[in-house]
């Protein structure tokens, strides 16, 4: 009798505890997402989660490895193990894994051959903007890692803010980042003016990767208390570039040709949890201590987080008729249309 062996389907590698519906997961897994700050990855293995998939990150002598956080021998997370900067050892039986996720040592049988089935299932890795990026379905890859204006300009200071975890969906978090009508109500303790809520007209422009929007207003971006806030008559330009599914950059034009660029890279840990990474670069105030920058950035995003975590429904309804929209919501409408365009469903969850 001949036995027909079918190749594994894409669904065969779905995470065990899936919070997305299958079709949405397959689409989202074909994009690149950040999973860690590069400075977090040292000699010891680091466990993270992307799209419900537990992953382990470790360094070897030549590269950074991202793999399923699972020893093929007895299913123990490799993030529980120990590394030496060249390999990582499983905490259960000491199996060691090195370059390309290959098993290089079985302590119980050091002189025996190593089955290829003991090699880890790995994913591609790119280190960019001080972040570690990966793609769970690279064979279906849709796009490259989104660009960040001025990051490679030597006249700019590059800053890698600590990540922030949000108990909410990545799409809701990104929509909040690009929303220009909430400043006067949400960010009054950090930079906004509660007496300046008016949103001047603006119009998003569709791009192959999502859309861009230039928003001009008198709302300053200096922290409250800075003497520069007393300047009047300056028109602030905020240039948003949105890359589906969950990355956006904001370039803010300050007085005297100052520029601040913030990347909002919302990594979908699950459909109900987001790890938000925020690399920044700027060409002014480069002597300010980094901790001050970290603290101010944290305060701004904490203000946003309270609202994102409170929103209902938790996930982003892509049908425009399911929520009420006004003229100030043009970026939100463009974002939802862009997500529909890549084939995502209405609510993203199983």
């Amino acid at each position: 009798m001949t036995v027909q062996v079918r190749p594994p389907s894409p669904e065969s590698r779905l995470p065990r505890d899936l919070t997305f519906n299958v079709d949405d997961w397959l689409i989202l897994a074909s994009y690149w997402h950040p999973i860690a700050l590069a400075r977090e990855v040292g000699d010891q293995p680091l466990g993270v989660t992307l799209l419900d998939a537990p992953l382990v990150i470790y360094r070897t002598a030549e590269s950074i490895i991202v793999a399923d956080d699972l020893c093929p021998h007895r299913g123990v997370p490799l993030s529980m193990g120990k590394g030496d900067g060249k390999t990582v050892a499983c905490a259960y039986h000491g199996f060691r894994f090195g370059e390309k996720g290959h098993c290089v040592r079985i302590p119980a049988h050091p002189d025996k051959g190593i089955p290829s089935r003991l090699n880890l299932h790995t994913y591609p890795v790119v280190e960019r903007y001080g972040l570690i990026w990966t793609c769970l379905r690279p064979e279906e890859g849709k796009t490259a890692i989104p660009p960040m204006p001025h990051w490679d300009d030597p006249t700019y200071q590059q800053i890698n803010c600590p990540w922030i975890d949000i108990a909410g969906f990545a799409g809701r978090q990104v929509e909040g980042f690009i929303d220009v009508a909430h400043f006067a109500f949400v960010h009054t303790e950090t930079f906004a003016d509660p007496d300046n809520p008016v949103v001047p007209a603006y119009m998003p422009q569709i791009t192959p990767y999502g859309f861009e929007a230039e928003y001009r207003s008198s709302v300053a971006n200096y922290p409250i208390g800075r003497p520069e806030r007393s300047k009047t008559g300056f028109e602030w330009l905020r240039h948003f570039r949105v890359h589906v599914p969950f990355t956006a950059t904001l370039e803010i034009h300050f007085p005297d040709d100052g520029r601040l660029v913030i990347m909002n890279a919302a990594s979908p840990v699950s459909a109900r949890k987001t790890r938000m990474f925020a690399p920044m670069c700027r060409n002014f105030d480069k002597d300010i201590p980094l901790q001050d920058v970290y603290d101010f950035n944290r305060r701004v995003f904490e203000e946003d987080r309270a609202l994102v975590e409170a929103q209902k429904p938790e996930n982003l309804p892509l049908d425009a008729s399911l929520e009420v929209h006004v003229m100030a919501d043009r970026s939100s409408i463009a974002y939802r249309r862009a997500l529909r365009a890549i084939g995502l469903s209405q609510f993203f969850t199983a």
Side-chain angles (χ1 to χ4, degrees):
M1 181 178 68
T2 301
V3 178
Q4 297 291 329
V5 179
R6 295 182 179 180
S9 66
E11 289 80 358
S12 66
R13 296 206 61 83
L14 291 173
R16 292 168 59 88
D17 300 313
L18 194 63
T19 58
F20 296 87
N21 72 47
V22 172
D23 290 339
D24 287 341
W25 188 92
L26 292 172
I27 292 170
L28 294 174
S30 69
Y31 287 86
W32 286 83
H33 304 274
I35 54 174
L37 292 163
R39 65 173 179 258
E40 294 181 279
V41 185
D43 288 348
Q44 301 309 311
L46 176 66
V48 299
T49 302
L50 174 63
L51 293 168
D52 299 310
L55 303 174
V56 64
I57 313 172
Y58 67 92
R59 286 190 183 272
T60 69
E62 299 180 1
S63 59
I64 294 176
I65 306 298
V66 174
D68 288 332
D69 192 10
L70 194 73
C71 179
H73 179 227
R74 289 295 181 266
V76 171
L78 285 174
S79 57
M80 294 176 63
K82 294 183 178 180
D84 58 11
K86 297 180 181 179
T87 61
V88 62
C90 178
Y92 199 2
H93 296 95
F95 286 34
R96 283 200 169 271
F97 302 87
E99 295 288 351
K100 300 180 180 180
H102 289 178
C103 183
V104 296
R105 180 174 172 78
I106 302 175
H109 306 292
D111 300 323
K112 301 294 184 181
I114 300 175
S116 61
R117 290 184 61 198
L118 280 174
N119 295 339
L120 304 179
H121 183 84
T122 61
Y123 302 94
V125 182
V126 171
E127 184 175 339
R128 191 79 176 101
Y129 317 126
L131 307 178
I132 304 300
W133 300 72
T134 194
C135 179
L136 299 183
R137 298 185 69 213
E139 69 281 359
E140 299 294 332
K142 304 296 185 184
T143 186
I145 292 171
M148 182 171 176
H150 306 299
W151 180 266
D152 297 315
D153 188 330
T155 66
Y156 279 67
Q157 176 189 28
Q158 291 75 35
I159 303 170
N160 296 109
C161 293
W163 45 260
I164 299 172
D165 277 345
I166 298 168
F169 176 58
R172 283 290 198 190
Q173 193 280 323
V174 174
E175 184 180 61
F177 179 75
I178 63 176
D179 184 294
V180 294
H182 76 287
F183 296 164
F185 306 96
V186 179
H187 295 301
T188 54
E189 298 298 318
T190 50
F191 70 88
D193 180 357
D195 297 322
N196 189 0
V198 177
V199 176
Y202 71 99
M203 182 62 68
Q205 302 296 319
I206 304 303
T207 66
Y209 50 81
F211 69 92
E212 296 188 14
E214 289 193 348
Y215 170 63
R216 299 174 184 271
S217 77
S218 59
V219 178
N221 218 90
Y222 289 118
I224 292 174
R226 284 278 294 266
E228 295 92 333
R229 290 181 64 87
S230 61
K231 293 182 179 180
T232 59
F234 181 74
E235 182 180 64
W236 291 79
L237 170 60
R238 292 174 172 86
H239 187 164
F240 293 90
R241 299 173 176 89
V242 178
H243 296 255
V244 292
F246 305 132
T247 301
T249 61
L250 168 58
E251 181 173 358
I252 307 171
H253 293 235
F254 278 67
D256 303 318
D257 293 323
R259 296 287 187 277
L260 168 65
V261 181
I262 305 169
M263 172 174 275
N264 184 103
S267 183
V269 175
S270 72
R272 304 181 183 99
K273 180 179 178 180
T274 300
R275 179 157 292 182
M276 199 280 296
F277 296 92
M280 304 164 57
C281 63
R282 63 186 182 184
N283 64 354
F284 63 95
D285 284 351
K286 293 186 285 186
D287 58 339
I288 292 179
L290 283 179
Q291 190 60 52
D292 291 353
V293 181
Y294 295 163
D295 292 346
F296 180 73
N297 182 70
R298 183 84 188 198
R299 288 172 59 203
V300 173
F301 280 104
E302 287 289 356
E303 289 171 333
D304 286 318
R305 177 167 70 169
L307 277 300
V308 172
E309 292 183 346
Q311 284 182 284
K312 297 293 184 294
E314 291 84 351
N315 295 300
L316 193 64
L318 301 188
D319 184 340
S321 68
L322 296 177
E323 290 186 334
V324 181
H325 306 279
V326 297
M327 295 293 287
D329 299 323
R330 284 173 170 168
S331 284
S332 297
I333 295 169
Y335 180 51
R336 297 180 188 208
R337 287 174 177 170
L339 292 177
R340 286 205 310 272
I342 64 174
L344 293 174
S345 67
Q346 293 299 329
F347 292 100
F348 300 91
T349 55

